[in-house]
Amino acid sequence: MKIIVIGSVAAGTSVAAKARRNTEEAEVIVYDQGKDISYSVCGIPYQIGGEVEELSALTPRNAAWFKKRYNVSVFTEHKVTKVDHANKQLEVTDLVSGEKKLENYDVLVFATGASPFTPPPFNQKEYDNVFQVRNIQDARDIGAYSAKQPKKALIIGAGFIGLEMTEQLIHKGLEVTIVQLEDQVMPPMDADMTFRVEEHMRAKGVNLILSDTVKTIEGETSVERVITTNGITIEPDIVILSAGVRPNTELAKEMGVELGASRAIAVNKKMQTNLPDVYAVGDVAESFSVITGKPIYRPLGSTANKMGRIAGDVITGGDLEHRGVLGTGIFRIFDLHVGQTGLTEKEAKKEGYDVEILYNIKPDHAEYLGGKELTIKALADKETGRILGAQAIGQGGVDKRIDVIATAITFKAKSEDLFHLDLAYAPPFATTKDPILYTGMALDNALKRNPLLTPAELIRRQNSGEKLQIIDTRSKKDYDKSHVKGAIHVPLAELRERNVELDKYVATVTYCNKGVTGNASQNLLLNYGFEKVYNLSGGNKNYQSYLKMLKSKSK
């Protein structure tokens, strides 16, 4: 059997390695039009910023290493230009010599990855100070240009790469401006969470321009000046395009491989396409949601490696299957770690779920050992209690909380199951009631007896004219500093005596600074016979943040 893989980064090399582990009988050949193989795309911003000293650390393996280790022939700077699947033959062009050759195959694997999207008007011509961050050559080019000591950077796009490059260029001393088409950074997340990121970025000196695009460019060989659609003028020394990626499907489409709803190659759980003996893996292939079962496109190195291993196993007689993804991701932006998994609020509602939403604001570990605030937004399905997703922001402990919730979602855990997890505890690492345990407890309570109300829903109800009884249970000092519109002040310590001043039959909302005292007040009123009592999720702190976000987005 002759296996040919097109593409030699994460997915392609994983196919080859797993196939060889399973059998010594197959001939395995890998073609790639680039110069480098099996490199870490995700590490490139950190090498550019200097956290990774040598670029070679991101390219630990080469073609000779693969030949020696796996007896796999890897040909770099070779482009597959045509595929005749009826005769199982492809045409390969040596990009150095220009020579062409024909190659037969029994099994063909597309691991062609994805290419950065070049937004107009940057696609009109070549500029010597405009770069993308997708491969090792991009890192070399940016490194070479850095010798000119640019002072001002313009970054187009505020996704993973855009934010990571922002952090690294600020660390290098550059002034950074981001222009983002959407009205928030990290569009896959909920805006009320990413607003916290935006505030942090601005506090670190980032010039963040949202809901805008570059309209015109001035300069012949270099971008000297850009003017946005909203009339803002920016004069950058270097421009980084990070406006997302598009799967490289052209060759596959030409031979009749079907694409999915996401425009990536459609595959089944065994990474097989609609054509026999043709597979697709990595950033060129579509995945599916663990929760909904629907196709989704989430190009990540971790998923690419997984897909490659599955395809390599199936091709050589194994029975591995892809089990889908949750869209789990994490990034660092200065002092903040930001992670997510599963469905966001907007995604869950679009899918038709009636969700309970919790904002859990707690220290990531014991405060007396330096614990810092961690904010978790978690969702549960009201009908089944199943955890649907979570987003988390903090200075520490984000990764492990997101990973625990991702694991829980994968095994269809309900909110009550989170509370019963036996998690590692010691003061340097967690609190006695870990944020995960509290998330499960509060969501389970909300589903059964103690409903939560988000700031967005509270404001919507107020604006609709609904009669609400809003109780601020904090100190007078905190109330005077800021409070929810229309709230009356009744501290928890006085609520037992003063609840007679309230109407038991009017929908009531209790709140405190972050949620705990509000919940205690909610329980008290429910015990006194109040018909409907909500706790404002995340308390006044979350409410004020939401108001601030609304104000900033309305400018």
Side-chain angles (χ1 to χ4, degrees):
M1 178 169 59
K2 189 174 184 179
I3 304 167
I4 291 184
V5 182
I6 309 175
S8 69
V9 190
T13 52
S14 291
V15 173
K18 181 58 178 175
R20 177 59 73 227
R21 289 188 187 103
N22 282 6
T23 178
E24 289 293 324
E25 302 300 319
E27 181 182 3
V28 185
I29 299 173
V30 181
Y31 288 108
D32 197 297
Q33 62 186 11
K35 295 180 180 180
D36 306 283
I37 72 169
S38 192
Y39 52 84
S40 172
V41 175
C42 303
I44 292 174
Y46 303 101
Q47 193 280 324
I48 292 170
E51 284 196 55
V52 178
E53 290 187 12
E54 299 296 333
L55 192 56
S56 59
L58 305 183
T59 56
R61 303 175 183 90
N62 57 24
W65 184 91
F66 258 88
K67 184 66 176 177
K68 184 177 181 180
R69 177 70 174 264
Y70 293 113
N71 191 24
V72 169
S73 299
V74 180
F75 296 92
T76 58
E77 297 183 276
H78 281 68
K79 184 175 182 178
V80 177
T81 50
K82 292 181 183 178
V83 180
D84 176 6
H85 189 55
N87 294 305
K88 290 197 170 182
Q89 191 176 73
L90 48 81
E91 179 184 272
V92 185
T93 301
D94 184 328
L95 298 178
V96 176
S97 68
E99 294 180 2
K100 295 184 179 181
K101 68 175 181 178
L102 296 179
E103 184 88 83
N104 295 315
Y105 64 87
D106 295 305
V107 176
L108 182 63
V109 183
F110 282 95
T112 46
S115 294
F117 173 65
T118 303
F122 291 99
N123 57 8
Q124 293 177 355
K125 62 182 295 186
E126 292 289 328
Y127 298 100
D128 63 8
N129 63 341
V130 176
F131 303 93
Q132 292 172 320
V133 182
R134 186 63 186 173
N135 56 46
I136 296 299
Q137 189 57 47
D138 293 332
R140 293 190 187 103
D141 293 341
I142 294 172
Y145 189 82
S146 295
K148 297 183 179 182
Q149 296 185 322
K151 303 297 183 186
K152 298 180 180 180
L154 169 62
I155 296 179
I156 307 298
F160 284 109
I161 294 294
L163 297 186
E164 289 164 355
M165 284 300 298
T166 296
E167 177 197 69
Q168 293 300 308
L169 293 181
I170 288 283
H171 286 335
K172 284 177 72 73
L174 278 74
E175 295 179 27
V176 176
T177 297
I178 297 181
V179 174
Q180 166 74 354
L181 174 63
E182 288 86 355
D183 66 351
Q184 66 175 89
V185 302
M186 286 301 295
M189 296 181 65
D190 287 328
D192 57 358
M193 292 296 282
T194 60
F195 178 67
R196 294 164 165 84
V197 177
E198 293 162 15
E199 286 192 302
H200 185 63
M201 291 171 66
R202 289 190 168 108
K204 292 292 184 178
V206 179
N207 180 25
L208 187 57
I209 300 172
L210 303 175
S211 302
D212 207 351
T213 58
V214 171
K215 184 177 182 181
T216 58
I217 297 174
E218 296 178 8
E220 291 300 319
T221 59
S222 297
V223 173
E224 298 173 2
R225 182 180 295 105
V226 304
I227 302 172
T228 73
T229 303
N230 293 332
I232 299 172
T233 298
I234 306 163
E235 298 181 347
D237 300 316
I238 185 171
V239 180
I240 305 293
L241 304 181
S242 56
V245 298
R246 303 291 185 273
N248 295 322
T249 59
E250 292 77 11
L251 189 62
K253 283 193 297 184
E254 288 175 8
M255 63 178 285
V257 172
E258 291 181 357
L259 304 186
S262 68
R263 308 313 298 161
I265 294 176
V267 291
N268 62 16
K269 292 182 179 181
K270 294 184 178 294
M271 312 316 302
Q272 297 164 324
T273 71
N274 60 300
L275 299 182
D277 300 318
V278 179
Y279 296 72
V281 293
D283 291 358
V284 75
E286 195 171 63
S287 191
F288 66 93
S289 167
V290 170
I291 298 172
T292 68
K294 295 180 180 180
I296 56 174
Y297 182 61
R298 295 290 189 275
L300 284 173
S302 53
T303 302
N305 273 291
K306 198 179 301 180
M307 287 179 161
R309 182 174 186 269
I310 292 165
D313 185 64
V314 171
I315 291 167
T316 52
D319 59 0
L320 284 178
E321 287 190 346
H322 185 39
R323 297 184 181 182
V325 298
L326 288 169
T328 305
I330 192 167
F331 64 95
R332 184 190 72 194
I333 180 74
F334 306 116
D335 301 325
L336 290 183
H337 302 169
V338 185
Q340 71 174 114
T341 189
L343 301 180
T344 60
E345 179 185 352
K346 56 190 174 187
E347 289 172 337
K349 289 180 176 178
K350 185 177 179 181
E351 290 294 333
Y353 288 101
D354 185 12
V355 290
E356 192 69 58
I357 302 167
L358 169 72
Y359 295 87
N360 178 14
I361 305 174
K362 292 285 185 297
D364 64 308
H365 63 276
E367 288 182 287
Y368 54 79
L369 282 177
K372 298 291 195 302
E373 186 172 279
L374 173 69
T375 301
I376 298 175
K377 179 180 182 180
L379 287 70
D381 177 21
K382 287 185 178 179
E383 182 179 350
T384 64
R386 184 184 177 187
I387 300 293
L388 296 177
Q391 298 158 72
I393 297 175
Q395 295 185 40
V398 169
D399 53 345
K400 73 174 181 177
R401 271 68 185 218
I402 288 296
D403 284 345
V404 168
I405 294 176
T407 304
I409 295 173
T410 300
F411 292 103
K412 297 182 170 56
K414 296 182 179 181
S415 53
E416 63 187 75
D417 297 321
L418 290 184
F419 172 70
H420 291 286
L421 292 175
D422 184 16
L423 302 178
Y425 164 69
F429 307 103
T431 52
T432 49
K433 192 182 291 180
D434 189 90
I436 289 289
L437 305 184
Y438 190 91
T439 295
M441 179 191 73
L443 276 175
D444 187 45
N445 285 345
L447 291 168
K448 295 175 178 176
R449 183 177 187 257
N450 297 72
L452 296 164
L453 202 63
T454 66
E457 181 64 12
L458 172 59
I459 292 170
R460 186 196 68 78
R461 291 191 181 192
Q462 286 182 313
N463 290 341
S464 71
E466 180 179 346
K467 186 178 180 182
L468 294 171
Q469 193 168 228
I470 305 172
I471 314 300
D472 188 315
T473 66
R474 303 172 299 157
S475 69
K476 184 69 164 58
K477 179 182 177 181
D478 285 340
Y479 175 82
D480 289 341
K481 186 175 180 181
S482 70
H483 57 264
V484 173
K485 178 184 176 182
I488 61 173
H489 180 236
V490 183
L492 174 60
E494 300 176 15
L495 194 55
R496 283 184 174 83
E497 290 73 30
R498 294 181 58 189
N499 77 84
V500 294
E501 302 171 16
L502 306 174
D503 190 336
K504 292 183 178 181
Y505 306 103
V506 172
T508 302
V509 181
T510 60
Y511 74 90
C512 58
N513 279 324
K514 299 176 183 178
V516 175
T517 303
N519 174 254
S521 303
Q522 179 187 32
N523 280 321
L524 187 153
L525 294 178
L526 288 170
N527 290 340
Y528 273 99
F530 282 66
E531 285 195 348
K532 194 69 174 180
V533 186
Y534 299 92
N535 185 22
L536 181 60
S537 192
N540 185 64
K541 182 165 189 173
N542 192 40
Y543 173 84
Q544 297 299 334
S545 176
Y546 187 79
L547 285 184
K548 196 173 181 182
M549 182 196 75
L550 293 180
K551 185 177 180 180
S552 73
K553 304 298 183 186
S554 65
K555 291 180 180 178

